[in-house]
Amino acid sequence: MAYTLSGKVKLIQDPQTFNSGFTKREMVVIVEDGKYPQEINLEFVQDKVSLLDNLQPGQDVTVTFDIRGREYNGRYFNNLQAWKVETGSSDDSYMNQEPPAFDNNVPEVSFDDDIPF
């Protein structure tokens, strides 16, 4: 199941390559969430590492990712594994929606002026 989040890039880590040949690169995105913004760490692995090459801190992005979980020595770990990044403001999506239809057939309501309070 895919999830998305939108925010500003805070930082992009350098790629890490391990002895096994596995490569990953992490990015932190600041997501406005009420009073306290959240700093979300996302990882890009293998061929998806290159998606971060043209990004800069401060850019608005929408990231699509999967949640991955695993157990190691009785402890459980979760990762947000990203696989798609779109740049630009994501809050403009409402601009492409049609406004709700206006109903001209609304019945007229009359109010009694003899309200006791």
Side-chain angles (χ1 to χ4, degrees), residues 89-99:
S89 178
S90 59
D91 293 328
D92 295 336
S93 60
Y94 70 91
M95 303 273 294
N96 296 328
Q97 297 177 1
E98 289 187 31

Side-chain angles (χ1 to χ4, degrees), residues 61-101:
V61 293
T62 298
V63 183
T64 305
F65 62 96
D66 295 325
I67 299 174
R68 298 287 182 224
R70 67 190 181 289
E71 182 266 337
Y72 179 74
N73 289 338
R75 294 190 61 201
Y76 293 88
F77 299 90
N78 297 316
N79 294 79
L80 305 181
Q81 194 170 76
W83 46 272
K84 181 178 177 184
V85 178
E86 297 173 323
T87 58
S89 178
S90 59
D91 293 328
D92 295 336
S93 60
Y94 70 91
M95 303 273 294
N96 296 328
Q97 297 177 1
E98 289 187 31

Side-chain angles (χ1 to χ4, degrees), residues 18-105:
F18 300 90
N19 291 337
S20 64
F22 179 78
T23 303
K24 79 173 187 174
R25 191 172 186 187
E26 296 178 336
M27 171 175 70
V28 176
V29 176
I30 299 174
V31 176
E32 295 299 323
D33 186 25
K35 187 175 179 180
Y36 302 103
Q38 300 297 307
E39 297 182 2
I40 309 297
N41 186 60
L42 298 135
E43 69 177 18
F44 294 75
V45 298
Q46 300 300 84
D47 61 329
K48 302 302 180 190
V49 167
S50 64
L51 295 175
L52 301 177
D53 290 345
N54 296 320
L55 295 179
Q56 300 294 323
Q59 261 185 306
D60 288 324
V61 293
T62 298
V63 183
T64 305
F65 62 96
D66 295 325
I67 299 174
R68 298 287 182 224
R70 67 190 181 289
E71 182 266 337
Y72 179 74
N73 289 338
R75 294 190 61 201
Y76 293 88
F77 299 90
N78 297 316
N79 294 79
L80 305 181
Q81 194 170 76
W83 46 272
K84 181 178 177 184
V85 178
E86 297 173 323
T87 58
S89 178
S90 59
D91 293 328
D92 295 336
S93 60
Y94 70 91
M95 303 273 294
N96 296 328
Q97 297 177 1
E98 289 187 31
F102 184 74
D103 185 6
N104 288 330
N105 297 323

